[in-house]
Amino acid sequence: VEYLHSINLAGTALLRLINDILDLSKIEAGEVRIVAEKIDFTALCGEINAIFTQKVMEKKLYFKLEVPSGLPFLWLDGQRMRQVFLNLLDNAAKHGGSGKRIDTAIRREGSEAVITIRDYGPGVPEEELPFIKNKFYKGTSKARGSGIGLAVCEEIVTRHEGVLDIGNAQGGGCAVTIRLPIEA
């Protein structure tokens, strides 16, 4: 049973890598289409919470997602935004997992929905921050990864007319902020 679990994990990681490479090649060829529809953002956050909570239980991490009531509906490609959120949460678990905690919060600021994901790990070396969203950039992290995921996330968020910022949190760890426009 232990071997089957390991094989399943490796297969899932390989599938994610293949999909990221395919997405990156489509982005570079200008073939990534965002199919936006009116999405209940609260429901989308609930789905992401359910999916990710299962993953963090295996890693024994504390995961908190704050979703206020009354979030607006947003025009998004739900599948692509799930991909972004899960990729960023996976990164928080992989690179900041030593901090044993991930806090995620969603709030409204004027005409934007703001999503923050914070881990309590070592953070990103300051000299690497300007390059972290470049494709194939892996920096000095010992954690496994392809260096593709953040480039794909950046492109998807940008195509939603949003902004993806990555920096170090005050007090330690990494903080990721996504700002998405709220359209009437």
Side-chain angles (χ1 to χ4, degrees), residues 48-59:
I48 291 163
N49 187 42
I51 293 167
F52 196 68
T53 297
Q54 189 68 22
K55 289 184 178 187
V56 295
M57 285 174 59
E58 294 170 5
K59 295 185 178 204

Side-chain angles (χ1 to χ4, degrees), residues 101-120:
R101 179 176 170 181
I102 300 170
D103 291 333
T104 304
I106 290 98
R107 65 187 183 282
R108 182 177 184 161
E109 287 184 7
S111 62
E112 294 180 320
V114 180
I115 302 97
T116 56
I117 299 169
R118 183 199 174 169
D119 67 54
Y120 292 82

Side-chain angles (χ1 to χ4, degrees), residues 134-155:
N134 294 353
K135 64 182 176 184
F136 303 117
Y137 185 78
K138 293 172 64 167
T140 57
S141 172
K142 301 287 187 234
R144 290 185 303 169
S146 63
I148 296 173
L150 290 177
V152 170
C153 290
E154 169 82 352
E155 187 64 29

Side-chain angles (χ1 to χ4, degrees), residues 5-179:
H5 182 68
S6 295
I7 291 168
N8 186 36
L9 290 175
T12 301
L14 184 58
L15 181 60
R16 183 177 297 125
L17 175 62
I18 291 167
N19 286 332
D20 282 348
I21 291 170
L22 289 172
D23 282 343
L24 188 60
S25 66
K26 288 177 185 176
I27 287 168
E28 289 177 340
E31 295 176 5
V32 169
R33 291 187 32 218
I34 299 299
V35 182
E37 58 186 341
K38 198 172 186 179
I39 298 283
D40 179 347
F41 202 57
T42 303
L44 178 65
C45 291
E47 289 174 32
I48 291 163
N49 187 42
I51 293 167
F52 196 68
T53 297
Q54 189 68 22
K55 289 184 178 187
V56 295
M57 285 174 59
E58 294 170 5
K59 295 185 178 204
K60 297 183 172 108
L61 298 174
Y62 173 76
F63 173 62
K64 182 172 85 174
L65 173 62
E66 291 180 18
V67 182
S69 60
L71 281 175
F73 281 69
L74 298 177
W75 285 93
L76 301 172
D77 183 324
Q79 179 180 342
R80 292 290 182 187
M81 289 312 295
R82 266 185 218 90
Q83 177 184 0
V84 168
F85 294 140
L86 290 172
N87 189 330
L88 293 172
L89 288 167
D90 280 343
N91 278 355
K94 182 172 29 175
H95 298 286
S98 62
K100 298 295 183 199
R101 179 176 170 181
I102 300 170
D103 291 333
T104 304
I106 290 98
R107 65 187 183 282
R108 182 177 184 161
E109 287 184 7
S111 62
E112 294 180 320
V114 180
I115 302 97
T116 56
I117 299 169
R118 183 199 174 169
D119 67 54
Y120 292 82
V124 179
E126 289 294 324
E127 66 275 6
E128 294 181 13
L129 281 172
F131 309 105
I132 199 162
K133 294 185 282 183
N134 294 353
K135 64 182 176 184
F136 303 117
Y137 185 78
K138 293 172 64 167
T140 57
S141 172
K142 301 287 187 234
R144 290 185 303 169
S146 63
I148 296 173
L150 290 177
V152 170
C153 290
E154 169 82 352
E155 187 64 29
I156 292 170
V157 170
T158 299
R159 289 185 182 229
H160 279 86
E161 298 179 11
V163 176
L164 172 65
D165 287 318
I166 302 173
N168 288 313
Q170 196 168 5
C174 185
V176 176
T177 304
I178 301 170
R179 294 181 173 279

